[in-house]
């Protein structure tokens, strides 16, 4: 009997060692989709720096006979480029909430995939709209603005649909890990975008970055179409064990929360959410993140150009702050876990410490950086500042689940609108203040950014909360879902759930039921 059990166990472990969980493949491809999306957002930022300073770049040919469609032909001002940056985020802002309804009514994977395919195709058209369309009456400028608007609408569909993908595929006990892994692609995007863009612009021409990003996106699309399915039950090659584990876990949560009640829009406490100070503290924290994130995403190459860096140096050195941010973001989960589970600090204090520490360090570095003249010292301060903001991933990023697990997606949609509005405002402010493209103009830009971080940090420190709100649940026992979701993994290897234990428990349940039936007979 023992030998038979050992043989079965060895066979199971052998199958398990060769089997890649389908939800892990889904997490990787979804993360890569967000990464390529962010890479594409950096393409126009690199072009901005070349349009504004074509004669200052060491790597750009500006001889009209050698390169007839070079950026020196464009007379777009920093203000006009600021509007082109902002119109992308206007499209993103407008579509965010409607896309959430489409995800609920149609398909999360389709709403994630198809708009991104359109985005990739439009990216290939960007060089044509900038250089090939006549500049008479600034026709090329307005066509480029229209393309950017449609790209923003497509990009805005990715984030609510990614939440739908997680809801369909991710067991509640893995949402923190799986969600963190997926959204790491969002913050890794600038790393890849600026680094790849710098080298591509140098050796293949700066407009080639649009084609390279789009081709990578289309290759990703083919993989996503072939490998990803809407729900685990629709996947033809998913293991029975993984399917049982995912569906049972998700069903348990839906049963406890009463899915029909939480899906009813009329029963969402909109008024209380809109006047809740803890919710507004997340909104302002999201706004501060949006201000600095979108400011750097759209203007960092132009700022580094003011220091005299070449296109290649711009790409390589410009990726350092975002590399640091990704590393700190991944580490922040373990730091927060140590604070809560070992030091036994309250969730409220952990969220406040992680958010405010990251923002205060970032604001201070940006403020000091705006007064330094040494280019490499400026890069060092930018790296420390942007990197430290990665602490927020274990701060306000997770705060939605703390306040109201039942309405977390509603709150996330609301805070995303507030946060994205910063993506519209900050590029325009940067464009107005940097007309001369000198360090003095950038000093004003980063001084304002630092004060935005300070003010939002102060508001968050005073009004934020990590406690389950009274309006978020009617029954105290539902709070156990929040407590379970807060248990973060101590090792990265725990990302893969031990299916064998889960299956054994299911079998034991069935055996107990069967034995009781036999006794009755």
């Amino acid at each position: 009997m023992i030998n038979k059990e050992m043989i079965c166990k060895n066979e199971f472990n052998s199958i398990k060692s060769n089997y890649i969980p389908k939800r892990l493949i889904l997490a990787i491809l979804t993360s890569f989709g967000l990464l390529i999306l962010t890479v594409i957002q950096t393409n126009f930022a690199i072009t901005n720096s070349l349009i504004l300073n074509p004669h200052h770049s060491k790597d750009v040919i500006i001889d009209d006979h050698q390169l007839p469609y070079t950026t020196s032909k464009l007379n777009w001002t920093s203000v006009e480029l600021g509007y082109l940056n902002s119109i992308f985020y206007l499209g993103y802002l407008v579509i965010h909430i409607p896309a959430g309804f489409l995800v609920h009514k149609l398909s999360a994977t389709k709403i994630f995939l198809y708009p991104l395919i359109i985005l990739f195709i439009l990216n290939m058209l960007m060089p044509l709209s900038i250089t090939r369309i006549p500049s008479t009456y600034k026709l090329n400028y307005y066509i480029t603005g229209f393309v950017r608007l449609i790209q923003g609408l497509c990009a805005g569909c990715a984030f609510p649909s990614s939440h739908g993908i997680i809801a369909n595929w991710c067991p509640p006990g893995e949402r923190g890990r799986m969600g963190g892994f997926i959204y790491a692609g969002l913050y890794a995007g600038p790393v890849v975008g600026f680094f790849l863009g710098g080298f591509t612009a140098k050796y293949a021409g700066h407009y080639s970055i649009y084609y390279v990003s789009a081709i990578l996106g289309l290759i990703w699309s083919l993989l996503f179409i072939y490998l990803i399915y809407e729900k685990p039950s629709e996947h033809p090659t998913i293991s029975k064990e993984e399917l049982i584990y995912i569906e049972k876990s998700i069903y348990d949560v839906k049963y406890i929360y009463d899915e029909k009640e939480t899906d009813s829009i009329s029963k969402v406490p909109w008024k209380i959410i809109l006047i809740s100070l803890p919710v507004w503290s997340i909104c302002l924290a999201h706004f501060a993140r949006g201000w600095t994130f979108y400011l750097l995403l759209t203007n960092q190459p132009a700022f580094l150009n003011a220091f005299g860096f070449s296109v290649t140096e711009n790409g390589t050195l410009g990726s350092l702050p975002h590399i640091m941010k990704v590393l700190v973001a991944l580490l922040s989960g373990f730091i927060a876990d140590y604070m809560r589970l070992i030091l036994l600090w309250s969730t409220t204090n952990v969220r406040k410490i992680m958010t405010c520490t990251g923002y205060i360090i970032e604001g201070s570095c940006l403020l000091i950086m705006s007064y330094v003249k040494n280019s490499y010292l400026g890069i060092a301060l930018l790296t420390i500042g942007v990197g430290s903001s990665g602490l927020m991933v274990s701060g306000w990023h997770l705060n939605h689940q703390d306040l109201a697990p039942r309405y977390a997606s509603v709150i996330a949609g609301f805070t995303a609108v507030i946060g994205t509005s910063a993506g519209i405002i900050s590029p325009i402010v940067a464009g107005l203040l940097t007309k001369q493209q000198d360090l003095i103009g950038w000093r004003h830009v980063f001084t304002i950014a630092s004060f935005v971080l300070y003010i939002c940090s102060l508001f968050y420190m005073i009004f934020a909360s990590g406690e389950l709100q009274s309006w978020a649940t009617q029954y105290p026992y539902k709070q156990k879902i929040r407590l379970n979701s807060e248990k973060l993994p101590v090792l990265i290897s725990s990302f893969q759930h031990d299916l064998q234990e889960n299956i054994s428990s299911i079998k034991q349940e069935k055996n107990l039921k069967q034995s009781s039936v036999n006794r009755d007979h």
Side-chain angles (χ1 to χ4, degrees):
M1 182 70 178
I2 295 175
N3 292 334
K4 190 174 181 181
E5 287 181 359
M6 290 181 65
I7 292 171
C8 293
K9 186 175 181 180
N10 291 333
E11 288 178 353
F12 181 87
N13 289 334
S14 176
I15 295 171
K16 183 179 175 182
S17 62
N18 296 325
Y19 177 76
I20 301 176
K22 304 306 177 186
R23 66 190 186 280
L24 179 59
I25 296 174
L26 176 131
I28 292 172
L29 285 178
T30 306
S31 182
F32 267 92
L34 294 177
L35 185 148
I36 297 172
L37 167 63
T38 316
V39 167
I40 285 177
Q41 291 176 252
T42 66
N43 291 169
F44 195 71
I46 294 172
T47 299
N48 281 0
S49 65
L50 298 171
I51 290 174
L52 293 172
N53 300 290
H55 294 274
H56 295 165
S57 177
K58 301 174 185 177
D59 300 324
V60 179
I61 302 171
I62 58 173
D63 187 343
D64 292 343
H65 297 289
Q66 292 178 296
L67 190 59
Y69 294 105
T70 185
T71 50
S72 61
K73 286 285 186 182
L74 299 173
N75 296 317
W76 299 350
T77 65
S78 63
V79 177
E80 289 172 331
L81 288 172
Y83 288 131
L84 287 180
N85 284 324
S86 296
I87 198 169
F88 179 96
Y89 299 107
L90 176 63
Y92 171 81
L93 181 69
V94 168
I95 201 65
H96 189 86
I97 294 177
F101 284 102
L102 290 176
V103 169
H104 177 70
K105 295 294 183 182
L106 301 176
S107 162
T109 54
K110 290 178 181 178
I111 300 301
F112 186 78
L113 173 66
Y114 294 142
L116 285 183
I117 293 177
I118 296 173
L119 178 73
F120 303 147
I121 294 172
L122 289 175
N123 211 55
M124 287 187 168
L125 299 178
M126 279 292 290
L128 301 178
S129 68
I130 294 173
T131 62
R132 299 288 177 174
I133 295 176
S135 59
T136 308
Y137 302 111
K138 289 198 171 181
L139 184 61
N140 59 344
Y141 177 80
Y142 294 115
I143 295 294
T144 301
F146 178 75
V147 173
R148 292 276 295 167
L149 176 64
I150 302 301
Q151 282 187 314
L153 291 171
C154 294
C157 296
F159 299 98
S161 57
S162 65
H163 284 288
I165 290 172
I166 292 173
N168 289 335
W169 273 88
C170 183
E174 293 182 2
R175 278 182 184 162
R177 286 161 277 170
M178 190 170 177
F181 182 80
I182 286 173
Y183 293 115
L186 179 66
Y187 295 111
V191 179
V192 179
F194 289 127
F195 186 82
L196 180 65
F199 276 95
T200 305
K202 176 178 174 63
Y203 295 107
H206 55 272
Y207 286 127
S208 63
I209 60 179
Y210 292 95
Y211 301 117
V212 172
S213 301
I215 290 171
L216 287 175
L218 293 174
I219 293 172
W220 168 86
S221 301
L222 293 175
L223 292 173
F224 196 89
I225 291 171
Y226 181 72
L227 296 173
I228 302 305
Y229 292 82
E230 179 68 18
K231 295 181 179 179
S233 58
E234 298 175 7
H235 203 296
T237 60
I238 189 172
S239 70
K240 186 177 180 180
E241 292 81 7
E242 185 179 13
L243 178 61
I244 292 173
Y245 166 54
I246 295 174
E247 290 196 334
K248 184 179 184 299
S249 301
I250 293 176
Y251 174 80
D252 287 344
V253 173
K254 288 181 178 180
Y255 173 78
I256 293 174
Y257 278 134
D258 189 354
E259 184 180 9
K260 293 181 180 179
E261 182 181 350
T262 57
D263 282 348
S264 176
I265 299 299
S266 61
K267 294 185 179 180
V268 175
W270 296 103
K271 183 177 179 181
I272 300 177
I273 289 175
L274 293 176
I275 63 175
S276 170
L277 287 176
V279 171
W280 273 101
S281 69
I282 301 176
C283 288
L284 289 186
H286 202 155
F287 182 86
R289 174 262 182 189
W291 188 281
T292 54
F293 180 75
Y294 295 124
L295 174 67
L296 294 174
L297 197 64
T298 56
N299 290 282
Q300 180 178 298
F303 164 66
L304 296 181
N305 223 20
F307 269 125
F309 289 118
S310 67
V311 175
T312 305
E313 292 171 330
N314 209 323
T316 54
L317 294 176
S319 64
L320 293 178
H322 304 285
I323 292 174
M324 181 65 71
K325 186 173 186 176
V326 172
L327 294 176
V328 172
L330 294 173
L331 183 62
S332 67
F334 296 97
I335 297 174
D337 187 34
Y338 180 81
M339 289 178 176
R340 291 189 300 105
L341 302 180
I342 305 301
L343 300 181
L344 301 179
W345 292 0
S346 69
T347 302
T348 299
N349 288 336
V350 171
R351 299 289 181 249
K352 288 181 177 181
I353 289 171
M354 300 299 283
T355 300
C356 296
T357 300
Y359 280 176
I360 290 172
I361 294 175
E362 183 180 22
S364 301
C365 287
L366 293 181
L367 189 62
I368 298 170
M369 182 187 67
S370 62
Y371 287 91
V372 302
K373 294 182 179 180
N374 183 283
S375 56
Y376 292 101
L377 180 58
I379 283 290
L381 288 168
L382 187 66
T383 301
I384 296 171
V386 174
S388 64
S389 68
L391 293 172
M392 67 171 178
V393 173
S394 293
W396 68 265
H397 248 295
L398 301 178
N399 211 178
H400 309 80
Q401 292 287 339
D402 301 327
L403 300 181
R406 297 170 67 193
Y407 308 115
S409 60
V410 175
I411 298 173
F414 175 54
T415 60
V417 170
I418 303 297
T420 306
S421 65
I424 300 173
I425 301 170
S426 62
I428 295 176
V429 172
L432 291 172
L433 296 176
T434 58
K435 293 180 181 179
Q436 304 301 321
Q437 284 300 296
D438 55 11
L439 289 176
I440 295 177
W442 290 109
R443 177 182 301 173
H444 299 315
V445 170
F446 288 114
T447 299
I448 292 173
S450 63
F451 277 100
V452 169
L453 289 166
Y454 289 150
I455 293 170
C456 293
S457 296
L458 180 62
F459 191 93
Y460 191 87
M461 178 61 72
I462 296 173
F463 296 109
S465 173
E467 303 303 319
L468 184 67
Q469 301 298 290
S470 59
W471 46 266
T473 182
Q474 298 177 357
Y475 305 102
Y477 76 87
K478 294 183 180 180
Q479 187 173 357
K480 68 181 180 180
I481 293 297
R482 178 180 68 85
L483 296 175
N484 288 335
S485 68
E486 285 182 352
K487 294 179 181 178
L488 303 177
V490 294
L491 293 174
I492 295 177
S493 59
S494 64
F495 182 85
Q496 182 176 351
H497 185 272
D498 191 347
L499 297 177
Q500 186 177 8
E501 292 181 2
N502 188 68
I503 296 164
S504 299
S505 64
I506 294 173
K507 288 182 177 178
Q508 287 176 3
E509 269 184 43
K510 289 184 177 180
N511 291 335
L512 288 173
K513 288 180 181 179
Q514 187 63 41
S515 61
S516 62
V517 170
N518 293 336
R519 280 197 300 269
D520 293 338
H521 288 291

